[in-house]
């Protein structure tokens, strides 16, 4: 008996894969798995209902805690970013694939099936993990293989009795997890098209955001956010709460030109309220406790980390190397950051840490601890080579 494990979102693409796996690819058994990384509960339910209707063996796996602790927190420590995008979809893909591998091992699968197209990054991220952990399993990507159009899919779905929900008629293609929401498709792909208000779900428009600013204090331990206004929160709860607060104040809308892995340049829209707020605070705290060489060098390290995360190379040794450096620095990223949310902006209003490399006594205009007379020699030598250059050039 041959078994295929389908990474199942409940959307149209992956739903048409179910009859296709049976009829075109000849699998005896289709196992579907939906991984909960904080997408809407209604989506998870829809996937379950459709899987039932289509008679698959279905698994829903709650990976929210693991996603927050083992994927989002490392991203925070690395100020996870790729071209202005907080890598929210990118970092969920390896975990989704990891969970699919667990299911595949459990059911003794012969192959995986996923709904990634040939134009996106997700195919790289998902297949890398599957190949790394279960190289003996085949991988089928019908969307990529068959070059399907949406119209054809809807027709095929109707023929095969696949429930087609209202939402597929909508033009936007949406991917959601607790670290962010990505909205693609339709005219949004045009770099010059102004996104309509309707694409946003987690963020209020700055115009409609409360006129009253909202202040809060975010606490960090070892570079990870642990509390809001002194109240300790579990990772998932903290992220959800931040999404709610920052979103309410219109923070987190991101519109970028993005260079996909295969070189396609695309316009992308995201809303990532918690990510924008938490990363702003994290950088502010690092700036207080790290030396200037550490800060300068960590920017390079973070950028490399962001590229690996974007490419889904979650188990790359280079990533481990970078994280050794990142985590060492995070040992001192302990303290609090005061944030103010106001009409689409988040501003750092204060920061404090027991590891602050700041001394009021040294920096203050009113203090004599710092012996200014010692500076004379340092200042006199400053720019020595530049002055010599002027001389030799005449
Ligand atoms: N461009 C982003 C990325 O590559 C978001 C992709 C969203 N994926 C999707 N299937 N809609 O990470």
């Amino acid at each position: 008996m041959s078994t295929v494990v389908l990474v199942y979102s409940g959307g149209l693409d992956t739903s048409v894969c179910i009859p296709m796996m049976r009829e075109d690819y000849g699998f005896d058994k289709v196992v579907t798995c939906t991984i909960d990384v904080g997408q809407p509960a209604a989506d998870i339910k829809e996937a379950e209902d459709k899987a039932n209707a289509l008679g698959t063996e279905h698994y829903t796996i709650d990976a929210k805690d693991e996603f927050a602790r083992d994927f989002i927190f490392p991203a925070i420590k690395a100020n996870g970013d790729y071209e202005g995008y907080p890598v929210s979809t990118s970092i969920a893909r390896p975990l989704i694939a990891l969970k699919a591998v667990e299911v595949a091992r459990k059911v003794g699968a012969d192959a995986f099936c996923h709904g990634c197209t040939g134009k996106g990054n997700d195919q790289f991220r998902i297949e890398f993990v599957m190949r790394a952990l279960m190289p003996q399993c085949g991988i089928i990507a019908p969307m990529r293989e068959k070059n399907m159009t949406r119209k054809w899919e809807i027709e095929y779905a109707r023929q095969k009795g696949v429930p087609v929900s209202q939402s597929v008629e909508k033009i936007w293609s949406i991917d959601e997890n607790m670290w962010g929401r990505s909205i693609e498709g339709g005219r949004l792909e045009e770099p010059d098209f102004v996104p309509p208000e309707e694409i946003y779900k987690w963020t209020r428009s700055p115009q409609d955001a409360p006129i009253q600013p909202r202040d809060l204090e975010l606490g960090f331990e070892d570079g990870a956010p642990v509390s809001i206004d002194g109240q300790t929160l579990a990772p998932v709860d903290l992220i959800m709460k931040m999404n709610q607060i920052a979103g309410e104040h219109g923070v987190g809308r991101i519109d970028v030109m993005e260079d996909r892995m295969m070189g396609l340049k695309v316009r992308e829209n995201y809303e990532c309220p918690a990510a924008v707020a938490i990363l702003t605070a994290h950088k502010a705290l690092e700036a207080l406790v790290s030396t200037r060489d550490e800060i300068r060098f960590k920017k390079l390290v973070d950028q490399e980390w962001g590229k690996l995360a974007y490419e889904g190379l979650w188990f790359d040794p280079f990533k481990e190397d970078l994280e050794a450096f990142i985590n060492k620095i995070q040992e001192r990223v302990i303290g609090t950051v005061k944030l103010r949310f106001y009409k689409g902006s988040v501003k750092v209003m204060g920061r404090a840490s027991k590891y602050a490399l700041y001394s009021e006594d040294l920096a203050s205009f009113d203090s004599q601890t710092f012996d200014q007379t010692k500076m004379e020699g340092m200042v006199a030598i400053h720019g020595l080579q530049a002055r010599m250059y002027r001389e030799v050039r005449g």
Side-chain angles (χ1 to χ4, degrees), residues 1-9 13-34 47 50-59 103-104 107-114 140 142 156 162:
M1 199 173 91
S2 58
T3 302
V4 62
V5 168
L6 167 65
V7 187
Y8 189 51
S9 69
D13 291 347
T14 49
S15 294
V16 302
C17 287
I18 296 173
M20 215 173 259
M21 283 304 106
R22 292 178 177 140
E23 295 173 22
D24 296 8
Y25 292 84
F27 284 99
D28 304 304
K29 188 166 154 191
V30 180
V31 175
T32 45
C33 62
T34 303
K50 282 193 189 169
N52 278 337
L54 294 165
T56 68
E57 181 176 320
H58 183 73
Y59 295 87
V103 171
V107 302
D110 305 287
F112 290 104
C113 175
H114 65 71
I140 306 165
Y156 179 83
V162 175

Side-chain angles (χ1 to χ4, degrees), residues 131-200:
R131 245 178 227 111
L133 301 181
M134 276 186 105
Q136 72 279 18
C137 253
I139 302 175
I140 306 165
M143 304 299 123
R144 187 173 64 199
E145 248 169 62
K146 296 194 189 285
N147 227 335
M148 278 177 250
T149 66
R150 214 148 178 84
K151 202 165 153 258
W152 184 90
E153 283 181 44
I154 294 174
E155 185 46 41
Y156 179 83
R158 295 223 158 104
Q159 262 174 38
K160 302 289 171 188
V162 175
V164 177
S165 55
Q166 284 293 299
S167 60
V168 305
E169 314 286 358
K170 296 236 176 75
I171 32 181
W172 317 125
S173 154
I174 290 159
D175 180 69
E176 246 177 278
N177 66 54
M178 75 182 90
W179 200 228
R181 200 169 160 263
S182 128
I183 316 105
E184 302 177 314
R187 292 199 63 196
L188 281 178
E189 284 161 5
E190 298 169 28
D192 198 29
F193 176 72
V194 177
E197 194 55 35
E198 63 162 87
I199 69 165
Y200 302 109

Side-chain angles (χ1 to χ4, degrees), residues 180-283:
R181 200 169 160 263
S182 128
I183 316 105
E184 302 177 314
R187 292 199 63 196
L188 281 178
E189 284 161 5
E190 298 169 28
D192 198 29
F193 176 72
V194 177
E197 194 55 35
E198 63 162 87
I199 69 165
Y200 302 109
K201 208 178 84 188
W202 293 3
T203 54
R204 278 222 223 176
S205 133
Q207 290 101 289
D208 302 334
I211 189 75
Q212 239 357 74
R214 164 76 188 259
D215 289 355
L216 63 77
E217 193 175 84
L218 188 56
F220 285 87
E221 291 282 343
D222 295 341
V226 293
S227 66
I228 294 178
D229 289 332
Q231 188 198 1
T232 302
L233 292 169
V236 173
D237 299 333
L238 186 139
I239 291 161
M240 299 293 209
K241 187 166 175 177
M242 269 308 221
N243 272 327
Q244 196 270 319
I245 296 172
E248 162 87 8
H249 288 270
V251 167
R253 295 185 176 184
I254 298 168
D255 178 346
V256 286
M257 289 309 299
E258 188 173 301
D259 294 287
R260 283 198 189 148
M261 290 167 64
M262 71 291 281
L264 278 179
K265 205 180 259 301
V266 288
R267 193 260 185 99
E268 295 278 355
N269 279 280
Y270 301 101
E271 40 183 0
C272 306
V276 169
I278 294 171
L279 293 173
T280 300
H282 181 260
K283 282 178 226 162

